[in-house]
């Protein structure tokens, strides 16, 4: 599906593009996809010159769940001294957190194709091979213990979304009582490999320069905005592109049309 997109990027940027054919869920559940991407990236970095690539100019890129994997791989590489440093990371409307499904972008775009609010969580639960019957409880925040709520509020909060992104409407939602059973079942969602926005400051501070693309009509818009803020708060250069009329999947559709 992405061959045409990759050919376009290679041609227009005069670059070598390697596309990772990682194994898919639910047959291969989390974190298989991350492990495949990390393995492929390390192999490419170690053998870059065999592909005619300058090891100091390697960029990793992904869209949607590929953006999640890109962010997670970049984080996994920050302490590797046996590899060249990544030049940059490109995150195209990435999914980055499983803490708050009531951010302004989720409320404003819950019914906007192609990534409906319910579809976002359903795909995440299938990724983990979990039952979809708990979706409503997770939407209401019952999977987050109080200590983690307090910790993650530093990074995931509607307070950090600029006012101009709330003009289409936003209503604070009260969090439901905590469920220990739900947390036990789903605590994997707080792993930074699954939710890169939840990585510790010590990791974020070492990340490479980033390009982040967000779309106005996308439930994941605010994930990108919050990650942009975290990177910039640590002095990481971010180039941000916001498509005011854009929606989730628009880059893939545009390049394949």
């Amino acid at each position: 599906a992405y061959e045409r997109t990759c050919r376009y990027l290679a041609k227009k940027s005069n670059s070598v593009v390697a596309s990772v054919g990682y194994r898919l869920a639910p047959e291969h559940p989390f974190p298989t996809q991350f492990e495949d991407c990390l393995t492929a990236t390390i192999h490419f970095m170690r053998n870059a010159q065999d592909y005619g690539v300058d090891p100091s100019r390697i960029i990793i890129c992904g869209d949607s769940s590929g953006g999640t994997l890109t962010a997670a791989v970049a984080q996994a590489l920050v302490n590797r001294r046996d590899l060249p440093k990544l030049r940059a990371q490109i995150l195209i409307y990435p999914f980055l957190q499983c803490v708050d499904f009531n951010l302004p972008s989720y409320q404003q775009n819950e019914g906007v194709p192609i990534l409906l609010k319910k579809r976002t969580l359903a795909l995440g639960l299938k990724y983990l091979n979990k039952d979809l019957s708990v979706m409503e409880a997770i939407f209401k925040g019952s999977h987050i213990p109080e200590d983690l709520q307090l910790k993650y509020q530093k990074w995931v909060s509607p307070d950090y979304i600029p006012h101009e992104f709330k003009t289409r409407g936003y209503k604070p939602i009260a969090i439901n009582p905590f469920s220990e059973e739900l947390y036990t079942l789903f605590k994997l969602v707080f792993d930074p490999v699954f939710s890169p926005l939840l990585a510790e400051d010590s990791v974020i501070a070492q990340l490479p320069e980033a390009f982040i693309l967000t779309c106005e009509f996308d439930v994941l818009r605010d994930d990108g905005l919050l990650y942009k803020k975290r990177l910039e708060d640590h002095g990481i250069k971010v180039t941000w592109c916001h498509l005011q009329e854009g929606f989730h999947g628009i880059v893939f559709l545009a390049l394949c049309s």
Side-chain angles (χ1 to χ4, degrees), residues 18-254:
S19 180
V20 181
Y22 57 83
R23 289 168 290 175
L24 303 176
E27 293 80 10
H28 303 281
F30 173 87
T32 302
Q33 297 71 23
F34 163 74
E35 291 168 349
D36 286 356
C37 289
L38 181 60
T39 299
T41 303
I42 291 172
H43 171 80
F44 190 86
M45 296 177 87
R46 284 178 173 159
N47 299 279
Q49 292 177 330
D50 293 345
Y51 298 97
V53 171
D54 179 346
S56 69
R57 300 183 70 189
I58 296 172
I59 298 170
I60 55 176
C61 171
D63 75 323
S64 194
S65 58
T68 316
L69 293 167
T70 297
V73 168
Q75 292 178 5
L77 294 174
V78 297
N79 291 315
R80 295 290 296 256
R81 301 291 174 251
D82 58 327
L83 297 168
K85 289 289 187 183
L86 284 174
R87 172 64 184 85
Q89 56 181 321
I90 297 175
L91 311 178
I92 301 172
Y93 31 73
F95 171 91
L96 297 172
Q97 59 87 26
C98 207
V99 171
D100 192 343
F101 288 99
N102 293 295
L103 291 169
S105 61
Y106 270 106
Q107 291 189 26
Q108 295 161 354
N109 303 306
E110 65 177 332
V112 176
I114 54 175
L115 192 63
L116 311 180
K117 177 177 175 176
K118 287 186 176 180
R119 180 172 172 78
T120 305
L121 184 52
L123 290 172
L125 294 177
K126 287 180 180 178
Y127 185 27
L128 297 169
N129 269 359
K130 299 295 185 180
D131 194 293
L132 304 188
S133 63
V134 297
M135 284 176 58
E136 286 304 319
I138 292 178
F139 280 142
K140 294 174 181 176
S142 297
H143 61 304
I144 314 172
E146 188 175 352
D147 60 329
L148 289 184
Q149 281 183 27
L150 293 172
K151 177 180 179 179
Y152 297 148
Q153 278 176 4
K154 300 181 296 181
W155 308 325
V156 184
S157 169
D159 294 342
Y160 301 137
I161 303 300
H163 175 72
E164 61 264 31
F165 292 103
K166 299 176 183 176
T167 56
R168 289 197 289 124
Y170 166 67
K171 180 181 178 182
I173 303 293
I175 294 175
N176 270 23
F178 168 61
S179 164
E180 183 72 44
E181 180 183 6
L182 205 59
Y183 172 67
T184 302
L185 281 171
F186 294 100
K187 58 185 176 182
L188 264 180
V189 302
F190 304 119
D191 186 329
V193 170
F194 191 91
S195 296
L197 186 54
L198 306 183
E200 296 296 331
D201 288 338
S202 58
V203 173
I204 297 292
Q206 299 181 72
L207 286 170
E209 179 180 349
F211 174 93
I212 298 176
L213 184 139
T214 55
C215 292
E216 179 61 28
F217 299 99
D218 181 8
V219 290
L220 301 183
R221 179 197 69 199
D222 293 351
D223 282 25
L225 294 177
L226 292 171
Y227 204 56
K228 171 181 178 288
K229 181 183 186 302
R230 281 210 73 192
L231 292 171
E232 290 177 336
D233 284 349
H234 287 277
I236 310 298
K237 181 180 178 183
V238 178
T239 301
W240 173 52
C241 175
H242 182 66
L243 302 181
Q244 192 61 46
E245 302 298 326
F247 54 89
H248 196 87
I250 191 172
V251 172
F252 173 78
L253 294 174

